[in-house]
Every structure is written in structure tokens, then in C-alpha cells.
Amino acid sequence: MGRSGERSPRRPSGPLARYRRDADRPRRGEDRGRRRAAALRSALSGRSVAAQVFAMNVVIVLLLVVAAAVALVLQGRHDSEVEARNRSVSVAATFANSPGVPEALRAPDPTAILQPRAEATREATGVDFVVVMNTDGIRYTHPRPDRIGKQFVGDIAPALAGETVTEEIEGTIGPLVQAVVPVKAADGTVVGLVSAGITTENVGGVADRQLPLVLTAAAAGLALATGGTALVSRRLLRQTHGLGPHEMTRMYEHHDAVLHSVREGVLIVGGEGQLLLANDEAQRLLDLPPDAEGRHVLRLGLPDDTAELLASGRVATDEVHLVKDRLLAVNQRPTDVRGGPAGSVATLRDSTELRALSGRADTARERLDILYAAGVAIGTSLDVGRTAEELAELAVPRFADYVSVDLFDTVLAGGQPEGVTPLRRTALSGVREEVPLYPVGRQLRFVASSPQGRSLDTGRPVLEPRLGEAAGWQAQDLERSAQVVEYGVHSLITVPLRAGSLMLGVVSFWRSEKAEPFDEDELALAEELVARAAVSIDNARRYTREHSMAVTLQRSLLPRRMPDQNALDVAYRYLPAQAGVGGDWFDVLPLSGARVALVVGDVVGHGLHAAATMGRLRTAVHNFASLDLPPDELLGLLDELVNRIDQDEAADDSSAPVTGATCLYAIYDPVSSTCVMARAGHPPPALIRPDGGVEFPEVPAGPPLGLGGLPFETTELRLAEGSRLVLYTDGLVEDREHDIDVGLEHLRQALETAGESPEETCRTVLDARLPDRPGDDIALLVARTRALGPDRVAEWQVPNDPAAVGEVRAEVTRRLADWGLDELAFTTELILSELVTNAIRYGGETVQVRVLHDRSLICEVFDSSSTSPHLRYAAMTDEGGRGLFLVAQLAERWGTRYTPAGKVIWAEQPVP
């Protein structure tokens, strides 16, 4: 009850269904309107909650109305009296002090003079009378002429004394408030009196005007109460599933009787972890606070394991939990299995008959918890030092007050300890930080008589129950041993860290807080705990060794990422052989003029030697490519490098293997859509045309690198945009069972079915060609060509005349405006001015300018001279020599490359 969500569509069962059916029987056969009317009458009956709410609202509204009316009457009466006093005093004082009044009182006929003035004043101010009298109280004026000449009704003695008098009297015109003010002559003597008065009924009336508003507000309140009651009634009917008050009362009584009479604890926990209900037995068993209901179960002071179980809502069957001095069997089930509300119901049974065994059970459970936690918490990382720290942190303070882990230095580096090597304190954890034990990082050598030395020598754990009496332990360091004992550490267990027959180090458990020393049972627990940790530490050691080797290889094997360029869409795969890492590699190298170089190579053999050679070759290719060398010249330099490597290794070791390597180097130009390539003993590339056809272009093989003496030949291919160039190593097409021609034909078939993207091509080829256990490394590089359109290229022939430089600048400025690069116009003009001027002056007859709009703005100046320009710093007195220096400052990169007809000086600027 009380839920506002949707009801489950299933048929209700249990007590609720029985009460529902009992409530539905009298209404069978009635139409919907009659049922609603009956429900409304039931809701508004005196015994329903809605009717009681309605009655309460009516009583509250009536009380508010009565209180408001009484307050209005009292306030109106008070305001009327105050207003009457103020007005009568004001009118009387004004009239008494008006000019001519003292003289009129001395006249033979004061009434004739003052009566008209008094009546005019009365009508103007709204008072009921203005009476002027002599000092004997005889009236000279009055609204009723028959009262003139008669005695004034009221107290005039204070007024004769010069004071103002106000009083409430029952006058001749009814209850009134009047004021008497003296009329003084010029010398200050009282020569007469003036009285002004007003009846209270003329001042009042405010309460009468506000009372209808109060009654109207009361009627509106009653209407809102009636509407609210109707809404509450409908809400109650919906939330109680149509049960009437009698059914609800009977169901609650049964529910309350069951909860409070059963001798089993019952807890209902909501979906958010709040305790919704706890019966008497549950409060007794768990010793819950009086305000437990409504609080989160984690804040009730329960043991951690019990609170965690109740908060999690997981299914539990007869789980035994120790709560203070009781062993409770807990069963828990969720309540939302069949569409019910989120939460869980838990039942508790007292198992106090096991109290005699609770001590041992608690100890055993703690030890099992420690071992279980060790399996979970130790070895979460493959770092030797961190794994040792996890062991120390786990055991403190659950098992020991301080734990130190000492490992051999070679173990920390991933190796195996050989001979007598020092240990290093790798981890130290404790309940306090100022303990005088050796700190982390300290190199240690334990004497043979110390417990650690004996554990390392015998491979067995050692128990020292009383450190103050252990002479062998004190012999390690007399001064520090005394400090440790004085600090309060009194018991020690040392356990060797062994992984099979390999001794990794020693673990020491120290006790200070607990008065009892370690015993034999705790020694066995320490040995098992360390045995579990030793497996993780050994795994971390092995991983450290392999990881160090892998990191070394990884840094020299493959590029970490593909460079940014627009000429090619590139995808790649690298798969090492089962026998170990080999020397296959690949690279993508951006060159000047928006060109890109592709290289794939293979060093013969496996292992560190092949990987190291491959790393040297990759570095050499990077350096040679930065010189913008043609493919054949670059392979020639690599051939000389491999020859030199073989000669150096043969000089050091006559049995060193001869290094052999293959390589394919290609340069793609997106402006001309041409690809120039050469290979040194490497398998030929594959070309997938845009229409899906596959071919293996004829590229002269050339000798493998290292043989020397033979030149390499280049081949130039014109590639349509969207062509895919496939470069690979021999592991993809060669194996022991088939010739390379068979492998090439299988590769052709795989490429014919490949998708259009380089990634899909890589995936299809490897799915078709990858063996189950590859015996050689496989490197695969797929590049789809793009073309730099004519709208991104601008070329001009420059006459051999210095005056033509201005025309070139103007043309370039217009083209940059077309490309939306106006902000680069100034720097581009400066760069081209210097380069074109130098080309005209020193470069020969033919000068050509080309500007490319790619990822950067590239300015190229071609001339027929092969003389290379050099950057130099001009002196203050030099007239020239600053041109290339200025270009180097303005451009992001610049350089020179040679062509068969001369050279090209280029400069790149970043595009905003």
C-alpha cells in the first residue's frame, strides 16, 4: 500500500485477493455508474479516511471563520473608539482656537453669532454636534435648538482648569465620545468651553464590510476541502485495490498479528537500502535502535557482512552471520520477482546453540576470509613491487601489526637470483608509520642466525614468539633490534617466498598490539598466505622479464601511429610468428610535395638480433627518406648499411650469422597520380584497380640487401584514384608446403573478394591467408590512392627576368584568395619572392613555380641547376645572404630535392 506506480496485470493472490473477492461480491451485476456511486458513498461514510479528512477540513474552516469574525468585531470596536476620540478632540480644538470665538462669547447674544458657525463646522467635519458653552456649562449652540440654554451633560471641571477632556457617555443622541476644550482669552483665562462629539455607530462599519469577504473565503475553503476529499477518495480506492475499510482493517490486523507473534525476525528493505519494516524479533536479534525504520541498513551499526547482505538484496539461504554474541541464520529473497516493488525480505533465526563453537568458528572464518581475500586482492597487477605491497597491506592489521617483504634485486628486475645476491625491502605496511624497522628501498643482507636468514637457508618458516629473548635475531643489528623491542614489537614469523624451487625472498610478520605471541596455528596460516602470494609475485616477475623484452622490441618493430597525410588511406596488420618476434616491419613516411613513401621490409631470422637489425634499418630509412632520395638510391644506401653491419659483427664474433634483409620502397605522388618503386629481394606488390581487378606489377626484383655490387631498378606506375596498393612480407604468401607462386595466386583470389576500404582488404586477406600457427611474421600494408585535384594545384612558368617576380606574386595572391587563404598571402609572397629571385639569379634558364593546397600550403620552385642552396647567417655588413634564413623563419618546413632535370626548393606553411 502507498505505491503510486502501475499495478501488476497478474491476478492477485493471497489475503489481498481474498479480501478483494469479498469486497467485489455485493457489486456483481451492477453497472459502472452504480459501482462508482457506491464507492463514493463508502469513501464519504463516517468510517472512511476520506470522510474523516473532510470532517476535519470543515471543522478547521469553521474555526477559522469564527476566529476571523471575532477578531474583526474586536478590532472594529477598538478602531471606532480611537477614531471617535481623535476626531472629536481635533474638531473641538480647532473651533475653540478659531478667530472671533472669545469675542463672540462676550457678546450680548453669543448664540446668534456662534450657532451658524457651529452647524457649519459640524456638517463639514462629520461630527454629531459642536456645542459652545460658558464657564457654567450653559449651552450657546446645539444641533437641536431646544437644547440651547440648557446644562451641558459631561465633566467640564478639567476643561475649566485649561485641560482637554475626552469621555464616553450616554448622551441625548445615544452612546458617543465627546471632547471638551477650553476657549482662552488673550491673557490665558478660560472664557468658555467647546465640546465636539460623535456617536460610535457613525465611526464603525469596517467589520461589517469585511465580514462578507470572510464568509466568501470560508465557502471557497469548504469547496476546496470537498474537492480534495474527492481526490483523496479516488486515490485511496486506487491504491487499496478497491478494498473497503473493513477489509483493510482486517488485513492489517492479520498482518500485524503475524509479524509480532512469529518467533523469527523479519526485515523488509527497500530498493534504495532503507529499512522499511522490522518486527519485534528482528529488533531483538539485531539490537536495532528505536528509530531504525526509515534509515539505511548500512547506518544501523550492524556488522559489515550482515549490513552488506541486507543492502545488496542478493539471494541468501541459511547464511550464518555473527551479530554480537549471536549466530544468526539469514535467508533473503528479492520482492520484485513477479512485478512487486523493488527491495528484499530477510528472515533471521537465532542459532545460539552453536555459541560454544562460535570462538573457533570465528577464528576459522577470519582465516578463511584472509585466504580468500588474498586470492582476490593479491596479484591484481603484474608489477612485482605492487604485488608485494598488496601482500603487506592485506595482512595488516587482520593478521599482523607490521609486515615487511624483502625480495632479491634480480627478482625485481624480472630475473632469477643466482648465488648470494642482496635483498631489498620492497614493501612495508603497519598500523603506525614510525616503527623502527628497515625502510622500503633499503638493501639488506641477513645473517645466518636471524630468522630471515634461517628461512632463506632452509626454505622453512621460522617462529620467534619472544623477540626480546631471540639472540639470533638481535645479532642482525643490535641497535635497531633494541629499538624494535622497545617500540613494543614482541613476536615474529618469517616465511620464505618460494615459487617451486626458486627462492624469491622472505616475508616477515611482526606483532606489537596484541599481547599474545604468534602460535603454531598462525604460523601455518602465514605459510599458506605467503604461498599464495608467491605465485602472484612469480607471475609478476615473469611478466616483468617478458614485458621488458617486449617493450624493447615494440619500440623498434612498428610505428606507433600512422602519420597525418592526405595522399593515401592506409590500413595495416602485423602478426608475430609463434616462434617469437621477427624482423618484419613497415612504415608510411610523408615526403615533400604532398608525396608519401611506403616501405615494407623483412630481416631474416627471429629473436633479438633480427629485431635489433630491423630497428636499425627502420631508422636508416627514416633518415634517407628525409633526403628525398629516389627508391633505387635509397635501397643502395640500405645495401651498404647491411654490408657494414655484417662486417662489424663478423669482426666481433666469427660465428655471427650473416644478416639478410629484403625491402620494397615506393613513393606515391598525388599530383601526378604516379608511383615509383623499387625492391630488393622482396615479394612483388599487388595492385587492386578501381574496378576490382588484381594484378602484380612487374617490378625488378633486385638482390636482397647486404649482397652489394648490383644496382637497383625503379618502376613507375600510373595509378587511378581509388586504386589499392598492397605491400606485404613473405610470411603471407610462403610456407613449407607451397611455393610462392601458389601463395601469390591465393592472395590474388583473396584480394578479388576484398571490400573497397583498406581495412576490409586487410581483414579479408588475413581471414583467407592466415595459417593457424604462422611460422613467420606477417606484415600487411594496404594503401588506397587519392589524387590532388587540379583545383588544388597552381603552376606558372617564370621568365628569366627579375621583373617577373611581381607577376608571380600577383598570381599567387589571386589563387590564395580563390582557396580562402588570404591570411597566408603576405608570407607566401615573401617566400616565393626569395625562392624565385634565387632561382632566376643562380638556377639556370628554366624556372617553374608550383603551389599545392593540401594539409599545408606547399610552395615549390623548380630550376635546372643542381647546385644546392645553403642556409647561412649573414653579418650586419653583408648585402645579401638572408633569403633562405627568411624562408626558414616563415615556413614550417623547407628543403631541397633533386630531379633528373635539376632541383626543387620547397617550403610548407600550415593551413589555418
Side-chain angles (χ1 to χ4, degrees):
M1 294 179 291
R3 295 175 58 218
S4 59
E6 294 293 331
R7 290 166 46 193
S8 174
R10 64 183 180 85
R11 182 180 179 85
S13 59
L16 180 60
R18 184 172 68 252
Y19 301 141
R20 181 76 175 272
R21 290 194 295 270
D22 293 343
D24 285 344
R25 288 194 186 102
R27 293 194 294 270
R28 289 177 180 173
E30 297 178 356
D31 58 12
R32 185 178 302 174
R34 295 179 60 188
R35 286 199 299 270
R36 289 180 177 176
L40 184 59
R41 286 195 299 272
S42 175
L44 295 177
S45 64
R47 291 172 292 179
S48 67
V49 175
Q52 295 173 6
V53 172
F54 177 72
M56 182 181 65
N57 288 338
V58 170
V59 171
I60 291 174
V61 170
L62 291 178
L63 289 176
L64 290 176
V65 170
V66 171
V70 172
L72 283 174
V73 171
L74 295 177
Q75 184 65 35
R77 181 177 298 175
H78 176 265
D79 292 344
S80 298
E81 293 176 356
V82 173
E83 176 66 18
R85 289 176 181 271
N86 293 337
R87 191 184 302 182
S88 59
V89 170
S90 176
V91 172
T94 302
F95 193 90
N97 294 322
S98 62
V101 173
E103 291 77 6
L105 289 173
R106 296 190 184 98
D109 189 2
T111 299
I113 300 173
L114 297 176
Q115 177 68 10
R117 294 175 61 181
E119 287 303 302
T121 301
R122 179 180 66 81
E123 293 175 359
T125 57
V127 296
D128 289 317
F129 64 87
V130 176
V131 175
V132 182
M133 67 195 82
N134 59 17
T135 55
D136 296 328
I138 303 301
R139 299 187 183 101
Y140 291 149
T141 64
H142 196 277
R144 298 181 182 179
D146 58 338
R147 304 295 173 89
I148 296 174
K150 296 183 179 180
Q151 185 70 33
F152 175 76
V153 180
D155 186 10
I156 64 173
L160 293 175
E163 298 178 359
T164 299
V165 180
T166 59
E167 57 183 346
E168 297 179 11
I169 64 171
E170 184 68 30
T172 58
I173 58 176
L176 55 85
V177 176
Q178 65 181 10
V180 181
V181 177
V183 179
K184 296 181 180 180
D187 57 357
T189 59
V190 177
V191 297
L193 303 175
V194 178
S195 175
I198 185 172
T199 58
T200 54
E201 63 180 6
N202 291 337
V203 179
V206 177
D208 297 338
R209 291 191 300 271
Q210 293 182 350
L211 189 58
L213 181 61
V214 173
L215 295 178
T216 302
L222 288 175
L224 291 176
T226 303
T229 302
L231 292 176
V232 170
S233 174
R234 293 184 59 187
R235 179 89 173 177
L236 289 175
L237 288 174
R238 183 167 60 252
Q239 292 187 347
T240 58
H241 304 280
L243 295 178
H246 296 293
E247 292 83 0
M248 292 294 295
T249 301
R250 185 169 56 172
M251 186 173 66
Y252 173 77
E253 290 174 350
H254 289 179
H255 166 271
D256 190 64
V258 170
L259 283 180
H260 292 287
S261 62
V262 68
R263 299 307 299 169
E264 191 172 75
V266 178
L267 298 172
I268 300 179
V269 181
E272 300 296 330
Q274 282 78 19
L275 180 62
L276 302 181
L277 184 143
N279 68 345
D280 297 343
E281 185 67 8
Q283 293 187 0
R284 184 185 68 84
L285 294 176
L286 298 177
D287 193 18
L288 297 176
D291 59 344
E293 294 184 359
R295 294 170 58 183
H296 200 282
V297 293
L298 297 178
R299 301 185 181 92
L300 297 178
L302 300 176
D304 293 341
D305 56 345
T306 306
E308 184 275 332
L309 172 62
L310 297 177
S312 65
R314 61 179 174 86
V315 175
T317 302
D318 288 335
E319 281 194 16
V320 178
H321 289 257
L322 180 63
V323 180
K324 295 189 177 180
D325 58 345
R326 296 187 180 93
L327 287 174
L328 302 181
V330 182
N331 291 271
Q332 184 167 262
R333 295 294 184 272
T335 59
D336 56 355
V337 176
R338 297 182 180 178
S344 60
V345 175
T347 59
L348 313 171
R349 295 197 311 273
D350 191 0
S351 301
T352 313
E353 62 271 11
L354 301 177
R355 185 175 302 176
L357 301 176
S358 61
R360 292 185 179 180
D362 183 44
T363 302
R365 184 172 64 85
E366 288 181 0
R367 294 180 178 180
L368 289 176
D369 286 346
I370 292 176
L371 295 177
Y372 173 77
V376 175
I378 300 177
T380 59
S381 67
L382 291 174
D383 180 81
V384 176
R386 179 56 192 157
T387 305
E389 292 174 358
E390 290 172 348
L391 168 61
E393 293 170 357
L394 173 74
V396 176
R398 304 173 68 175
F399 178 69
D401 298 316
Y402 301 95
V403 176
S404 58
V405 182
D406 306 314
L407 300 178
F408 290 104
D409 280 338
T410 52
V411 173
L412 293 173
Q416 298 182 2
E418 299 176 356
V420 180
T421 58
L423 293 95
R424 189 172 300 276
R425 177 134 302 175
T426 308
L428 175 63
S429 181
V431 294
R432 289 190 295 272
E433 296 182 358
E434 63 274 10
V435 61
L437 297 174
Y438 290 120
V440 174
R442 175 75 174 268
Q443 195 176 64
L444 304 172
R445 289 184 181 272
F446 292 106
V447 298
S449 63
S450 67
Q452 291 86 351
R454 283 183 285 162
S455 292
L456 293 173
D457 290 341
T458 63
R460 302 293 301 169
V462 175
L463 170 63
E464 285 290 354
R466 296 174 179 82
L467 285 178
E469 303 173 3
W473 171 73
Q474 296 176 3
Q476 173 70 33
D477 188 336
L478 293 176
E479 181 180 357
R480 187 175 294 271
S481 300
Q483 294 175 356
V484 171
V485 173
E486 183 180 357
Y487 189 77
V489 179
H490 58 82
S491 188
L492 169 66
I493 291 177
T494 61
V495 182
L497 260 169
R498 296 174 52 187
S501 60
L502 184 64
M503 186 70 68
L504 305 177
V506 63
V507 181
S508 303
F509 300 91
W510 314 79
R511 174 170 286 178
S512 64
E513 302 295 322
K514 194 174 181 179
E516 297 81 5
F518 287 116
D519 56 23
E520 293 295 333
D521 291 340
E522 291 170 322
L523 178 66
L525 176 60
E527 187 176 10
E528 187 171 357
L529 180 62
V530 172
R532 296 195 179 194
V535 175
S536 298
I537 292 178
D538 187 51
N539 289 338
R541 178 191 65 83
R542 294 172 183 268
Y543 175 78
T544 300
R545 180 185 62 191
E546 299 297 333
H547 181 67
S548 299
M549 297 173 61
V551 167
T552 303
L553 294 174
Q554 183 68 21
R555 290 176 178 174
S556 59
L557 278 176
L558 297 172
R560 297 185 179 181
R561 65 179 184 88
M562 291 292 99
D564 296 329
Q565 46 84 28
N566 287 345
L568 298 170
D569 291 331
V570 179
Y572 62 91
R573 295 290 189 276
Y574 176 78
L575 300 174
Q578 292 289 333
V581 178
D584 291 13
W585 94 93
F586 63 90
D587 242 327
V588 178
L589 306 173
L591 303 177
S592 64
R595 300 172 304 140
V596 177
L598 302 175
V599 57
V600 174
D602 183 9
V603 177
V604 177
H606 295 86
L608 292 176
H609 179 269
T613 303
M614 181 274 295
R616 298 170 72 176
L617 293 180
R618 278 198 62 231
T619 303
V621 170
H622 275 261
N623 293 331
F624 296 152
S626 65
L627 300 176
D628 267 334
L629 297 176
D632 54 343
E633 294 184 21
L634 186 142
L635 291 181
L637 294 176
L638 285 180
D639 182 55
E640 294 179 7
L641 174 63
V642 174
N643 253 326
R644 200 175 304 118
I645 292 174
D646 286 339
Q647 294 173 6
D648 294 341
E649 292 181 350
D652 294 338
D653 185 5
S654 59
S655 62
V658 176
T659 300
T662 64
C663 183
L664 188 151
Y665 188 81
I667 298 177
Y668 173 71
D669 187 352
V671 178
S672 61
S673 297
T674 59
C675 182
V676 181
M677 63 181 67
R679 62 188 179 114
H682 201 81
L687 177 62
I688 308 176
R689 296 186 298 271
D691 59 359
V694 180
E695 63 178 309
F696 292 93
E698 290 294 332
V699 181
L705 300 176
L707 296 183
L710 296 176
F712 299 95
E713 299 180 36
T714 61
T715 297
E716 180 173 333
L717 304 175
R718 183 168 293 277
L719 304 179
E721 186 174 8
S723 301
R724 281 167 286 167
L725 195 62
V726 182
L727 310 181
Y728 52 91
T729 56
D730 57 0
L732 187 66
V733 294
E734 284 185 319
D735 56 36
R736 296 180 179 179
E737 300 177 359
H738 302 93
D739 190 59
I740 187 173
D741 292 334
V742 178
L744 291 176
E745 184 59 28
H746 290 167
L747 177 61
R748 178 197 301 271
Q749 296 173 3
L751 292 175
E752 289 176 345
T753 61
E756 295 183 358
S757 70
E759 280 291 338
E760 293 175 349
T761 304
C762 289
R763 189 182 308 112
T764 302
V765 170
L766 291 183
D767 290 343
R769 294 294 303 149
L770 182 64
D772 295 333
R773 295 180 62 84
D776 194 5
D777 292 18
I778 295 176
L780 175 64
L781 183 65
V782 180
R784 182 171 60 186
T785 62
R786 295 178 179 175
L788 194 63
D791 58 332
R792 293 296 186 100
V793 180
E795 295 180 282
W796 298 276
Q797 291 289 341
V798 182
N800 194 3
D801 183 5
V805 176
E807 298 178 4
V808 172
R809 289 201 303 265
E811 291 289 339
V812 170
T813 301
R814 285 192 291 270
R815 182 53 62 94
L816 291 181
D818 295 339
W819 288 341
L821 300 177
D822 293 323
E823 57 186 294
L824 295 180
F826 178 72
T827 56
T828 304
E829 287 180 7
L830 290 178
I831 291 173
L832 285 177
S833 294
E834 294 297 334
L835 296 182
V836 173
T837 301
N838 287 341
I840 292 174
R841 181 176 300 176
Y842 308 111
E845 296 292 330
T846 303
V847 178
Q848 183 180 354
V849 174
R850 187 171 73 170
V851 180
L852 307 178
H853 181 199
D854 193 41
R855 296 182 65 89
S856 59
L857 184 65
I858 305 171
C859 299
E860 297 180 332
V861 177
F862 299 75
D863 62 60
S864 57
S865 172
S866 60
T867 303
S868 176
H870 296 283
L871 179 67
R872 66 187 181 89
Y873 292 88
M876 294 295 295
T877 58
D878 292 344
E879 295 182 359
R882 298 177 179 85
L884 286 181
F885 181 81
L886 180 63
V887 171
Q889 295 298 313
L890 296 176
E892 185 179 47
R893 294 195 311 154
W894 76 280
T896 304
R897 71 173 182 268
Y898 294 92
T899 66
K903 69 176 182 298
V904 179
I905 303 178
W906 54 271
E908 293 184 6
Q909 301 176 74
V911 175

